[in-house]
Amino acid sequence: MMLRAAVLGHPISHSKSPALHRAAYARLGLDIAYDAVDLTVPELPEFLAAVRADGSWRGLSVTMPLKAAMAAEVDSVRGVARQLGVVNTVVFEAAELTAGQAGAARLVGYNTDVAGIVNAIRYAGVGPRPSAAILGGGGTAAAAVAALQELGAPEAAVYVRDVSRAAEARAAATAVGLPLRVLELSAAAPAIASADVVVSTLPPRAADGLAGQLAASGRSTAGVLLDAAYDPWPSDIAAAWAAGGGTVVPGLEMLLYQAVEQVRLFTGHDGPLPAEVIDVMCDAVGAPRRVF
């Protein structure tokens, strides 16, 4: 039987997750089809109802705008996803037999975005106790809050267009114990230029105005910018950051690191994935090979 997995989101056509996952499963010799499914929040319950009883499903990758909604749809949530209330990974676990009949699979939620952000920033060489800022306040920002806490940041500033709409980031900060300031995005340029780490969780093009402010200011940017948006690339803010002398980590790095964890969960692999599997995942999206 052909096994199945998919990435869910809206829009989703730009996603590189299919390339990453397909390369991994091919190298592992597993017959797992991985597709991209365009899905909105209102459509999510019906989709999950349809796949629960299908024994071929092994996992779902979850992207915007579904991460918070998915946390309410799964049967249980594990790890840091429980603290954050944000799920980007769903694993189908076989249900116990009842009266001789196989039940629908249990859906278990995880968050691998945190590991993706932590590893991508560590790979860039960030030191201990970095000053930190986050652009955007949604589901990925919540993961960024947890990642910065793990990286040793003493506090973080979150910049959003509307300070009343950063509930997910605020909740994450409370859950992991990271002091958080929520500020207006319009005031971000001078502050982020001096930060050791900046994580942009804004959608593609949403940081273009900020990039223009950075470029016009002529300020140096000595820190590390992780831009979670990877299409188009380079983004305007990545280009402005690099022009100021800072280090840019493309969102593709974060995507790669979190996908490695997803593949491990979807396949039930015990321990780290073999290096050759990670190599073909890197090759599939044009990322440099690295040691995990």
Side-chain angles (χ1 to χ4, degrees):
M1 176 178 64
M2 170 71 76
L3 303 179
R4 300 184 66 185
V7 58
L8 313 180
H10 177 76
I12 202 64
S13 60
H14 67 285
S15 177
K16 295 187 183 295
S17 290
L20 287 165
H21 282 259
R22 290 168 184 169
Y25 303 138
R27 186 65 182 83
L28 288 167
L30 299 174
D31 196 12
I32 301 178
Y34 188 99
D35 300 307
V37 179
D38 195 295
L39 204 66
T40 63
V41 171
E43 296 168 328
L44 182 59
E46 183 178 358
F47 175 84
L48 292 177
V51 302
R52 274 180 179 273
D54 185 338
S56 66
W57 284 86
R58 288 295 176 267
L60 299 170
S61 308
V62 184
T63 187
M64 297 303 291
L66 304 175
K67 294 181 180 182
M70 184 62 84
E73 295 290 339
V74 296
D75 299 307
S76 64
V77 181
R78 294 179 186 161
V80 70
R82 181 181 299 172
Q83 292 178 285
L84 302 182
V86 178
V87 166
N88 83 312
T89 303
V90 178
V91 177
F92 288 66
E93 291 189 352
E96 295 181 1
L97 296 180
T98 303
Q101 300 295 322
R106 295 186 70 255
L107 272 56
V108 182
Y110 296 86
N111 191 303
T112 65
D113 278 340
V114 176
I117 295 170
V118 167
N119 288 327
I121 292 175
R122 278 183 176 158
Y123 189 73
V126 172
R129 296 183 59 80
S131 57
I134 300 168
L135 306 179
T140 305
V145 167
L148 291 172
Q149 189 275 336
E150 186 172 336
L151 288 163
E155 64 174 6
V158 172
Y159 294 91
V160 291
R161 284 195 176 88
D162 183 350
V163 295
S164 68
R165 300 183 64 184
E168 291 170 76
R170 291 182 190 273
T174 299
V176 302
L178 182 71
L180 191 73
R181 292 175 293 127
V182 180
L183 305 166
E184 293 186 358
L185 186 63
S186 59
I192 66 172
S194 60
D196 295 326
V197 179
V198 178
V199 182
S200 175
T201 68
L202 295 170
R205 301 293 188 190
D208 287 1
L210 180 57
Q213 294 175 32
L214 275 176
S217 72
R219 292 175 179 269
S220 62
T221 51
V224 172
L225 168 71
L226 168 60
D227 187 359
Y230 56 82
D231 185 22
W233 191 262
S235 62
D236 284 3
I237 193 168
W241 195 265
T247 299
V248 174
V249 180
L252 195 58
E253 296 276 331
M254 171 188 165
L255 184 71
L256 171 66
Y257 283 109
Q258 64 85 31
V260 167
E261 286 301 300
Q262 288 183 338
V263 169
R264 191 180 62 79
L265 289 167
F266 292 175
T267 61
H269 191 87
D270 187 16
L273 291 181
E276 60 268 23
V277 175
I278 299 173
D279 285 346
V280 298
M281 293 175 72
C282 291
D283 295 346
V285 294
R289 294 182 173 186
R290 79 275 331 281
V291 177
F292 276 65

